Amino acid sequence: MNRIAKVFATLKKQNRKALIPFITAGDPNPQITVQLMHQLVQSGADIVELGVPFSDPMADGPTIQRSSERALKHHVSLNGVLDMVSEFRKTDTNTPVVLMGYANPVEAMGFSVFAAKAKECGVDGVLVVDYPPEESAEWVQCLEQQEIDAIFLLSPTTPQERIAQVAKLARGYVYYVSLKGVTGASHLDLQDVGAMLTQLRQHIALPIGVGFGIRDGTTAKAVAGLADAVVVGSRIIEEIEKSSETELLNNVGSLIGALRKAIDEN
């Protein structure tokens, strides 16, 4: 059982839901990323999603786009992100780390080389936004050979055929995008989310995390009542943007702590 499976198994026994925060590696600077990852865990994160900065993050709204731009100004590369995971693993061998990003950096490195490096560094899962499941068999196989979970996205507009495809290929957990739009949007309809999760669970046995549009404890608590995990990204990036470097870790920690408390109230 890998780290992701262990986390969900432990939480299920405790009747609790996972909190999965997202940050972009290298934002606001590369030196603070590993400290931020540890802060997320200390404040209540169960799994850390680490964004690989990319010049054209088409699924992301303005907030996460800006975080990629800040990281790229520091020349943060995929190799650099893997180095950050290695550094994190020196003192945290338990918390799952999922890389989230786009196809180009992985394609440039090559599937097999990337998968081997990711395994060596301690990566547990990878979500590549623009790898459609219909074309992902080789990709999933490369990850499986290194015991890394292939995470896939589903959305309100995903057709039944693709849901069935994801059900076959996905490992670890499935990330359900709760609304039509990009990250950071705020028009979250919980009734729609609940109905869709009921439908998805007819096909998918894995835990399902819900992200996009979760901005505070109230929405986090409501989503935790429906899903197996709550994914929060843009709201954390906003906190990073508005915090001075001396306040950043404490401010992000306070935000994660508040989300953790709200989720555990279910």
Side-chain angles (χ1 to χ4, degrees):
M1 189 182 287
N2 68 12
R3 279 183 282 246
I4 293 175
K6 280 180 185 173
V7 161
F8 279 109
T10 300
L11 289 169
K12 190 171 184 181
K13 284 179 188 172
Q14 298 169 347
N15 197 29
R16 296 170 68 227
K17 304 300 177 73
L19 172 57
I20 309 179
F22 167 96
I23 59 171
T24 300
D27 175 39
N29 63 68
Q31 291 73 38
I32 205 166
T33 296
V34 174
Q35 294 175 64
L36 253 176
M37 292 170 73
H38 286 303
Q39 183 68 61
L40 295 174
V41 176
Q42 289 163 19
S43 303
D46 298 294
I47 296 169
V48 173
E49 275 190 4
L50 190 60
V52 178
F54 185 57
S55 56
D56 187 23
M58 71 285 287
D60 294 305
T63 301
I64 293 179
Q65 286 180 22
R66 288 194 301 270
S67 73
S68 262
E69 288 167 7
R70 287 190 293 270
L72 290 171
K73 282 181 182 175
H74 292 284
H75 309 290
V76 175
S77 65
L78 179 53
N79 274 316
V81 176
L82 292 171
D83 288 343
M84 292 174 191
V85 179
S86 289
E87 185 67 26
F88 176 76
R89 283 282 173 244
K90 288 178 182 177
T91 49
D92 188 325
T93 57
N94 295 317
T95 306
V97 174
V98 173
L99 297 189
M100 187 169 182
Y102 294 85
N104 289 47
V106 174
E107 295 280 335
M109 186 176 285
F111 284 178
S112 297
V113 173
F114 166 77
K117 283 188 174 184
K119 173 67 173 179
E120 185 181 349
C121 294
V123 171
D124 301 283
V126 184
L127 195 170
V128 175
V129 175
D130 45 351
Y131 275 161
E134 297 85 352
E135 300 172 17
S136 292
E138 182 189 349
W139 164 242
V140 172
Q141 187 178 22
C142 276
L143 292 183
E144 282 193 329
Q145 286 169 356
Q146 301 293 344
E147 300 177 307
I148 296 172
D149 289 336
I151 317 288
F152 283 91
L153 293 168
L154 292 172
S155 78
T157 57
T158 303
Q160 290 293 325
E161 300 79 21
R162 180 166 281 188
I163 293 171
Q165 192 80 19
V166 166
K168 288 180 191 171
L169 291 173
R171 302 289 183 269
Y173 60 95
V174 170
Y175 184 156
Y176 177 64
V177 175
S178 60
L179 44 83
K180 301 170 190 174
V182 293
T183 58
S186 56
H187 44 284
L188 183 60
D189 188 322
L190 291 166
Q191 195 169 346
D192 284 354
V193 171
M196 192 64 179
L197 290 181
T198 299
Q199 183 182 333
L200 293 178
R201 286 196 173 104
Q202 295 171 9
H203 305 274
I204 294 167
L206 292 173
I208 301 175
V210 170
F212 287 43
I214 299 165
R215 304 194 54 78
D216 53 32
T218 303
T219 39
K221 179 181 177 180
V223 168
L226 302 169
D228 303 296
V230 178
V231 186
V232 183
S234 293
R235 177 65 188 87
I236 298 168
I237 304 297
E238 286 173 5
E239 200 66 33
I240 290 170
E241 278 188 323
K242 70 185 185 185
S243 298
S244 68
E245 197 159 332
T246 54
E247 298 174 321
L248 194 153
L249 294 172
N250 282 339
N251 289 355
V252 170
S254 296
L255 171 61
I256 297 300
L259 293 170
R260 172 84 270 166
K261 184 180 177 186
I263 290 168
D264 286 345
E265 287 172 357
N266 277 292

